[in-house]
């Protein structure tokens, strides 16, 4: 798997149920969560740039695992507020080059143990979203993004929301399945700006 830091959540849930629906998953106990994490630490080995910090849970992942991705609002809200405050929003326009954004969205490269550190990574957006109306093959974990800017415009507040959502989706939904692409340093500021442009620029294929 590309990002091992996602595995604790997946394995912890899978270890506790065989139900087909995520909403039906029983909540793992803290002990079960610790047992699964211990197995990961025992069986994974650092290799290249894939270091063992990828199997460490932060407070957000722990909360979502313990509540099967459905924590009560009184627990989720403080997490979201903290994550939002930590996003370093750039000044001025947050729209870059949509053509570069399209390349980033369609690239799944990066973060493998065999990659050299510093290699520009992709966003793998196509794995979860329809990017443009003309696409016929795409993932469906996330909503379609076709026509995103066409229906929402590209006002500064929309730019800010899209930038923040890409940087750290958990600032808006504590247990969002979307990777925290900026928080994890998968994408840099300019790459995120380029993705914002892909979604909001009227000339982008997303909005045709």
């Amino acid at each position: 798997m590309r990002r091992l830091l996602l595995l604790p959540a997946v394995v912890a849930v899978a270890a506790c149920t065989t139900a087909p629906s995520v909403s039906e998953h029983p909540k793992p106990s803290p002990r079960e969560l610790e047992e699964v994490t211990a197995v990961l630490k025992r069986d994974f080995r650092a290799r290249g740039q894939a270091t063992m910090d990828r199997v460490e849970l932060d407070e957000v992942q722990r909360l979502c695992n313990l509540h099967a991705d459905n924590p009560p609002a009184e627990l989720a809200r403080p997490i979201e507020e903290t994550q939002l405050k930590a996003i370093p929003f750039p000044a001025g326009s947050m729209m870059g080059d949509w053509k570069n954004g399209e390349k980033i969205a369609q690239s799944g490269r990066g973060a493998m143990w065999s990659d050299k550190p510093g290699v520009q990574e992709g966003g793998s957006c196509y794995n979860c979203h329809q990017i443009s109306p003309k696409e016929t093959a795409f993932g469906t974990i996330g909503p379609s993004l076709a026509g995103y800017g066409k229906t929402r415009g590209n006002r500064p507040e929309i730019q800010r929301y899209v930038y923040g959502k890409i940087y750290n989706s958990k600032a808006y939904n504590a247990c969002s399945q979307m990777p925290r692409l900026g928080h994890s340093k998968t994408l840099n500021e300019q790459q995120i700006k380029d993705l914002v442009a892909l979604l909001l620029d009227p000339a982008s294929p997303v909005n045709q």
Side-chain angles (χ1 to χ4, degrees):
M1 188 170 181
R2 185 178 171 207
R3 305 194 195 289
L4 295 183
L5 58 85
L6 298 179
L7 282 174
V10 175
V11 177
V13 172
C16 300
T17 182
T18 57
S21 170
V22 172
S23 63
E24 298 173 3
H25 287 162
K27 298 176 183 178
S29 69
R31 179 179 177 181
E32 289 171 326
L33 181 57
E34 292 302 324
E35 289 175 348
V36 171
T37 302
V39 170
L40 290 171
K41 291 180 178 180
R42 181 196 69 196
D43 292 346
F44 281 107
R45 299 288 183 271
R47 190 173 184 184
Q49 67 171 332
T51 55
M52 292 302 293
D53 64 331
R54 297 190 181 192
V55 298
E56 294 291 343
L57 298 176
D58 67 6
E59 61 175 343
V60 184
Q61 293 164 321
R62 181 173 294 277
L63 172 76
C64 294
N65 285 354
L66 287 174
H67 292 275
D69 286 343
N70 189 29
E74 62 269 21
L75 296 180
R77 192 174 300 111
I79 290 286
E80 293 166 355
E81 291 173 353
T82 299
Q83 297 289 299
L84 183 60
K85 288 178 181 178
I87 297 176
F89 288 98
S93 175
M94 298 182 197
M95 289 177 60
D97 184 336
W98 70 260
K99 293 181 180 178
N100 288 333
E102 186 173 30
K103 294 176 183 177
I104 294 166
Q106 299 293 350
S107 171
R109 180 179 183 179
M112 299 293 288
W113 68 266
S114 55
D115 291 328
K116 293 181 179 180
V119 170
Q120 181 172 315
E121 300 181 29
S124 296
C125 307
Y126 66 92
N127 278 325
C128 299
H129 302 278
Q130 179 186 25
I131 307 299
S132 73
K134 294 182 180 180
E135 287 185 329
T136 57
F138 47 83
T140 56
I141 294 175
S144 171
L145 300 175
Y148 192 93
K150 192 173 184 178
T151 58
R152 295 167 177 80
N154 55 18
R155 302 183 309 278
E157 57 268 30
I158 297 297
Q159 293 180 32
R160 183 179 176 87
Y161 170 76
V162 174
Y163 186 97
K165 185 76 172 181
I166 296 171
Y167 190 98
N168 186 352
S169 64
K170 294 182 184 296
Y172 304 88
N173 177 354
C175 295
S176 170
Q177 297 301 304
M178 182 172 169
R180 293 178 281 181
L181 294 169
H183 176 86
S184 65
K185 302 189 186 314
T186 301
L187 301 180
N188 59 37
E189 179 182 301
Q190 186 57 53
Q191 288 176 297
I192 297 176
K193 284 185 174 182
D194 292 343
L195 286 176
V196 173
L198 176 66
L199 293 179
L200 301 182
D201 193 315
S204 164
V206 168
N207 299 309
Q208 299 305 305

